[in-house]
Amino acid sequence: MWIPISDAPIACFLHFEVAAESGDWIVVDKGAPLIVHPSNGKKEPNLLEGVEALLSYEITNGAALSLVNRLDRETSGLTLVAKNKAAARQLGRAMQRRLVHKEYLAIVRGWPEWTETTCTAPVLRQGDVAESRIWVKQAVHPAGKECCTVFRVEQAWSTSHGPLALVRCIPETGRMHQIRVHLAHLGHPILGDKIYGPSEECYLDYIQHGWSRELEEKLILPRHALHACRLGFPFDEQMFTAEAPLPEDMRRLLDAGGQKDSVR
């Protein structure tokens, strides 16, 4: 049974900062939760409209914005936007050829037994092989598409919410929810993840009733603790790199722990 999503507005943090820019592209550090472009016919604030407002003068003079990479609503961090069709084609080809380097930081539950590992478990939409009430939910399955993510533990610490770890995530492929699915598969779901965390009931409760004290007790954070922190890409035979610091909500968790270990 599919659960319909309410028509009521979903929580939104309309904030972004410019991380790097040229005459042909701009990289912005997106807040969360915030969608990158309009979806499902709903009228709500989104990142693309915000960037269009920022670049209104350039748009008046012929700029045509195009998103090169996309982040989930609840994922914060770096998004690359082309300013014209030629740049969109060039950057799009770089994405297709896997020449764009992306790194994320995630706060996960538990202390991984590994310092670094690579997950190559294939992923597909769960509803294609098993029952799920969440259309977008993905799952590890032998019939899934090729999928590869490198994980590296940056720090582990104790908190009142239990042991947590900061993990650097480097996806070598670009499947939907890839990092979230792989971390859950490894036994360390991302803190605050409504779909791949304690139970998918968290997601269903949230889209029907919004954030609640009960959800806070289960998830701790009102969004999943995943941040796109580094983005490298080629353009006009040069390599460019942008970085974005951890957002405040993730930084607070990092600073609030007890005993801490660096890379183990």
Side-chain angles (χ1 to χ4, degrees):
M1 182 177 97
W2 301 110
I3 303 298
I5 298 177
S6 167
D7 288 333
I10 298 176
C12 174
F13 178 45
L14 184 56
H15 174 79
F16 68 89
E17 295 183 0
V18 177
E21 186 176 7
S22 79
D24 294 293
W25 48 261
I26 182 171
V27 182
V28 295
D29 180 4
K30 177 183 87 72
L34 178 66
I35 58 172
V36 295
H37 58 80
S39 62
N40 298 324
K42 287 186 177 181
K43 181 63 179 176
E44 61 176 309
N46 62 82
L47 178 66
L48 186 56
E49 286 183 353
V51 178
E52 287 173 344
L54 176 68
L55 302 179
S56 58
Y57 177 80
E58 292 183 50
I59 291 173
T60 300
N61 287 277
L65 306 189
S66 178
L67 290 163
V68 179
N69 71 308
R70 292 167 171 78
L71 299 178
D72 293 337
R73 177 191 295 272
E74 294 192 1
T75 301
S76 57
L78 298 171
T79 303
L80 175 59
V81 183
K83 291 184 178 181
N84 54 66
K85 292 181 179 179
R89 286 193 296 270
Q90 185 178 158
L91 293 169
R93 285 195 296 268
M95 285 284 289
Q96 291 174 351
R97 295 171 183 171
R98 297 182 182 176
L99 300 177
V100 177
H101 178 79
K102 294 176 282 186
E103 294 185 16
Y104 296 73
L105 287 170
I107 295 177
V108 306
R109 291 185 180 273
W111 290 347
E113 61 280 11
W114 36 265
T115 298
E116 182 171 333
T117 191
T118 299
C119 184
T120 57
V123 170
L124 49 58
R125 193 179 69 85
Q126 181 168 305
D128 291 341
V129 293
E131 183 178 351
S132 175
R133 290 178 291 171
I134 302 175
W135 175 262
V136 297
K137 186 174 184 179
Q138 309 294 301
V140 166
H141 191 276
K145 294 180 178 179
E146 171 196 2
C147 209
C148 181
T149 318
V150 176
F151 296 108
R152 186 180 307 129
V153 177
E154 300 277 316
Q155 187 169 299
W157 70 105
S158 300
T159 75
S160 58
H161 309 300
L164 300 176
L166 181 69
V167 177
R168 186 171 298 272
C169 317
I170 305 173
E172 296 184 355
T173 52
R175 309 303 179 196
M176 177 181 283
H177 299 177
Q178 173 176 323
I179 293 172
R180 298 162 64 191
V181 175
H182 273 177
L183 282 170
H185 177 67
L186 293 173
H188 298 284
I190 296 176
L191 193 74
D193 199 323
K194 300 177 181 69
I195 297 179
Y196 305 101
S199 166
E200 64 179 31
E201 294 296 330
C202 293
Y203 175 80
L204 300 173
D205 288 346
Y206 178 71
I207 62 172
Q208 288 187 301
H209 308 296
W211 188 244
S212 66
R213 180 171 296 179
E214 290 76 16
L215 284 175
E216 184 174 2
E217 291 175 355
K218 294 177 182 177
L219 298 171
I220 312 306
L221 279 185
R223 62 104 172 186
H224 54 244
L226 181 62
H227 178 67
C229 63
R230 186 179 178 89
L231 183 66
F233 56 95
F235 190 80
D236 283 351
E237 300 182 351
Q238 296 185 61
M239 282 298 300
F240 296 89
T241 301
E243 297 187 352
L246 276 180
E248 183 180 353
D249 56 351
M250 292 177 66
R251 174 58 60 184
R252 283 199 305 266
L253 279 170
L254 201 63
D255 294 340
Q259 180 180 355
K260 294 182 174 67
D261 295 321
S262 58
V263 177
R264 300 187 304 150

